[in-house]
Amino acid sequence: MSARDFDTVFGPWASWIRDAAEVKSAPVDFVALALLSSASAIVGNSRWTVPWDGWKEPPLIWGMLVGDPSSGKSPALDAVLDPIRQIDTDLGAKYQDERKQWDDKDEVARLILAKWKADAKTAIQDGDTPPEKPKEADAGAPPIRGRVRITDATTEKVGELLRDGWRGLLLSRDELSGWLAGMDRYSGGGDRAFWLEAFGGRSYSVDRKNSPEPIIVDHLSVAILGGTQPDKLDSLLVHSDDDGLLARFMVVFPEPAPLQRPTMTLDETKVRDAMERLRALEPVTDEHGCKRPLFLHLQEPAKDALQEFRIQCMAWEAEASGLMKSHIGKMPGLSVRVATVLALLDCAAGQGDYVADISAGHMGRACHYVGEHLRQHAYRAYGAASQPPEIRAASRIAEIIQSEGLRQIGTREIQRRGLVGIQTAREIGPAFKVLEGAAWISPIQQAEGPGRPTKIYAVNPRLEGFK
C-alpha cells in the first residue's frame, strides 16, 4: 500500500501507527491490524452495522499477524495491548472497591435479615401478623468485574463473562497456532463450533457440566488477535477442515521491518483515551427492557460502493480455490466491519461526534484496505496451503537462504531449526531437489562422520540479493 493510500485508509491514526511501528521495529501492517481488532472488541455490542435489511454485521475483527519470531509481532501487539491492559487493571481496581462496599452492605443485610426472621417467628408464635421483610435485608446483586481482554478461557467461562458483561471481549494471544490446533482436543469439536458462532455475535447457549441450566448469552461476541509463524500457519492450513474458521481471520504477512534505533517515544495515551471513549458508547434498550446494539446504517452512496465491491469479490472468488476461495467469500462482510471500526476510531481520535451512519468515504476506505491490500497478504498466507508440500518446503528454505545470505546448506542445517513440516530427511530431500532443479543449489560433497552421509549443497552466488 502506498503512503498516500495508507494515510487515506487510516486517516487520523496513520501517523500514530507509523510511530508505533518505528518504536517497536515492526511492520506498520502489524500495528494497523492490531489497532483495528482491539478497537472492534471495545466497541463490541454497542454498535452493529446494517448494510441493508436482512444483513447485520457486528464490528468484530479477527486479526492474525504472520511472521518469523524476530519479525516484531509481539512488540506490535504490545503497542496496542499495553493501554488495554491498563484499562483492565483499572476495571479490576474499581471492582475491588465496589466489592468491598457490597460486602459491608451484605454483612449488615444479613444481620437485618436474621433479626427479621426472629421477629417474624415470634409474631407467628404469638398469633400476630409477621412484619414485612425490610428492604435493607437484601444487599442486592454483587458487582460484576468488568473485563476487556482475555488470553485463555474455557467456553463455559467465556460464556459467563459475556453473559455478565454483555459488551464483548478481546481474546489476544502471542501465538494463535497452539490455540487453534488444540481447541478440539477435549471437546469433540465443541470448541470449534463455539468459536465459529463467536464471530457472528448471535445468541448462544453454553451447556454446563455441573448444572442443568445452560448459560444464555445474548450476543456471543469475541474479537481475536494474535500472531503465528509461517511454518505453523502452513501446518494449520494443510490439516484444517474448510469449515470457515481460518477464513474468518484478516491476515497480514508483511516483509520484516528493518531494525533501527527508535528516535521517539510512543504516545500510549492516544490509544488508551480512544479506547476509553469507545467503551463509553452505550447500547440501546428495546421495548422489553433488554439491551441491544445501536444499529448504524449505510448511506446510499456507501451501499453502492459495497455492492460494487461484492461484484468484484465474486470475480476474485471465481478465480480462487481452496481456503482462499472461502476467505474471499467473507471479504464483503469484513469490509463492513472495517468500515464501522474506522468510522468510530475517527470519532474516538477527536474527529467530530460519533457517527449515526456509515458514509461512502468510510466504506471506500474499508473496501480498499480489505480488497486491494489485505487480499494480497491473504494470498501469501493462505495460498501456500494449495501447494505440494515439497514446494512449500522449498519456498521456506529459499527464504532462509536469501534472508541469511547462506553460501551452503545441508539437511542438518535445516533440521536444527525445528521448522514445522521440514524436520526429517524425507521432508527436506524433495525440497532440496526442487531447489536444485531451479538452479538455486548444487551438491558439492558428502559430509563425513558416523551414520549415513549428509549431502551438502552450494548456494548459487548469482541469486538476486545474495550477499
Side-chain angles (χ1 to χ4, degrees):
M1 186 189 302
S2 69
R4 182 177 179 180
D5 286 346
F6 185 85
D7 290 341
T8 299
V9 169
F10 290 100
W13 288 94
S15 294
W16 184 89
I17 292 170
R18 287 196 182 95
D19 290 347
E22 178 183 336
V23 170
K24 300 298 183 178
S25 291
V28 292
D29 283 310
F30 283 170
V31 180
L33 185 54
L35 177 65
L36 289 175
S37 182
S38 299
S40 78
I42 300 297
V43 174
N45 295 317
S46 69
R47 298 291 186 275
W48 284 27
T49 296
V50 179
W52 43 72
D53 290 346
W55 182 4
K56 298 175 183 177
E57 283 285 347
L60 308 171
I61 292 174
W62 290 9
M64 182 184 294
L65 319 184
V66 183
D68 289 325
S70 60
S71 61
K73 299 189 299 296
S74 295
L77 290 172
D78 288 340
V80 178
L81 293 180
D82 281 349
I84 290 180
R85 292 186 187 105
Q86 186 58 52
I87 293 175
D88 251 337
T89 299
D90 293 346
L91 288 172
K94 179 182 178 182
Y95 168 76
Q96 293 297 331
D97 291 341
E98 292 175 344
R99 181 72 195 206
K100 184 179 183 303
Q101 294 176 24
W102 183 86
D103 286 340
D104 292 343
K105 183 179 179 181
D106 185 56
E107 187 174 350
V108 173
R110 290 174 183 271
L111 295 174
I112 295 173
L113 180 63
K115 185 179 186 306
W116 170 75
K117 287 182 177 179
D119 292 345
K121 182 178 180 181
T122 299
I124 292 172
Q125 289 174 345
D126 294 342
D128 297 331
T129 301
E132 291 187 5
K133 182 179 178 181
K135 294 181 180 180
E136 295 80 7
D138 186 356
I144 297 172
R145 188 196 189 286
R147 294 289 294 274
V148 173
R149 171 180 171 267
I150 57 175
T151 56
D152 194 16
T154 63
T155 55
E156 182 174 327
K157 183 61 177 178
V158 173
E160 290 178 355
L161 292 172
L162 290 172
R163 177 198 61 193
D164 297 338
W166 192 85
R167 190 179 194 92
L169 291 168
L170 172 67
L171 170 68
S172 65
R173 297 175 66 97
D174 271 355
E175 179 54 65
L176 285 171
S177 61
W179 174 73
L180 287 165
M183 64 170 55
D184 294 335
R185 190 173 301 164
Y186 304 111
S187 61
D191 279 4
R192 200 171 186 92
F194 176 90
W195 291 108
L196 283 166
E197 292 295 325
F199 184 78
R202 301 177 186 87
S203 62
Y204 195 82
S205 299
V206 183
D207 293 322
R208 293 184 282 187
K209 294 180 180 178
N210 300 320
S211 174
E213 295 297 326
I215 301 168
I216 307 298
V217 182
D218 290 340
H219 295 287
L220 186 63
S221 300
V222 185
I224 301 174
L225 175 64
T228 193
Q229 298 175 35
D231 305 297
K232 294 180 179 179
L233 177 61
D234 284 351
S235 179
L236 281 172
L237 291 169
V238 170
H239 297 103
S240 173
D241 293 331
D242 189 9
D243 59 359
L245 185 68
L246 286 170
R248 284 163 164 76
F249 280 91
M250 291 168 54
V251 179
V252 285
F253 190 0
E255 295 297 328
L259 289 176
Q260 56 186 4
R261 182 176 176 178
T263 59
M264 66 186 71
T265 301
L266 184 62
D267 179 14
E268 293 187 351
T269 60
K270 181 179 177 71
V271 171
R272 181 175 177 182
D273 290 348
M275 295 300 175
E276 291 282 15
R277 293 189 193 105
L278 294 178
R279 269 189 58 81
L281 292 172
E282 292 291 341
V284 297
T285 304
D286 64 18
E287 63 274 16
H288 304 293
C290 299
K291 294 179 181 178
R292 71 159 180 81
L294 174 63
F295 296 125
L296 306 179
H297 296 264
L298 267 62
Q299 297 175 2
E300 283 300 321
K303 292 181 181 180
D304 294 339
L306 176 58
Q307 180 61 14
E308 290 179 11
F309 185 62
R310 293 175 74 210
I311 294 171
Q312 178 61 72
C313 286
M314 286 187 65
W316 287 331
E317 190 175 354
E319 299 172 354
S321 61
L323 293 168
M324 191 64 202
K325 181 182 284 289
S326 297
H327 179 68
I328 292 175
K330 291 181 171 50
M331 283 169 53
L334 293 175
S335 69
V336 174
R337 296 176 184 224
V338 171
T340 305
V341 177
L342 287 174
L344 294 172
L345 273 174
D346 283 0
C347 301
Q351 302 287 310
D353 296 332
Y354 281 107
V355 295
D357 47 28
I358 303 299
S359 69
H362 287 114
M363 197 69 245
R365 288 160 60 184
C367 290
H368 182 82
Y369 179 63
V370 173
E372 300 302 328
H373 187 63
L374 290 188
R375 181 170 57 94
Q376 303 305 322
H377 286 262
Y379 271 123
R380 185 180 182 193
Y382 295 142
S386 62
Q387 298 174 341
E390 65 271 19
I391 300 296
R392 292 197 307 273
S395 297
R396 186 69 183 98
I397 295 171
E399 289 178 359
I400 294 171
I401 290 173
Q402 283 200 308
S403 64
E404 300 182 17
L406 298 180
R407 297 181 179 274
Q408 64 180 35
I409 196 165
T411 301
R412 290 175 185 167
E413 170 70 17
I414 300 301
Q415 286 177 322
R416 71 175 180 81
R417 298 169 183 268
L419 302 174
V420 176
I422 325 177
Q423 297 180 354
T424 67
R426 181 174 296 180
E427 294 168 329
I428 298 171
F432 280 159
K433 287 184 178 180
V434 171
L435 291 173
E436 188 177 356
W440 274 64
I441 59 175
S442 59
I444 54 175
Q445 69 181 63
Q446 297 285 332
E448 301 294 336
R452 299 180 61 182
T454 301
K455 185 175 290 187
I456 302 297
Y457 292 86
V459 176
N460 186 346
R462 301 177 71 176
L463 291 173
E464 184 179 354
F466 182 84
K467 297 180 180 180

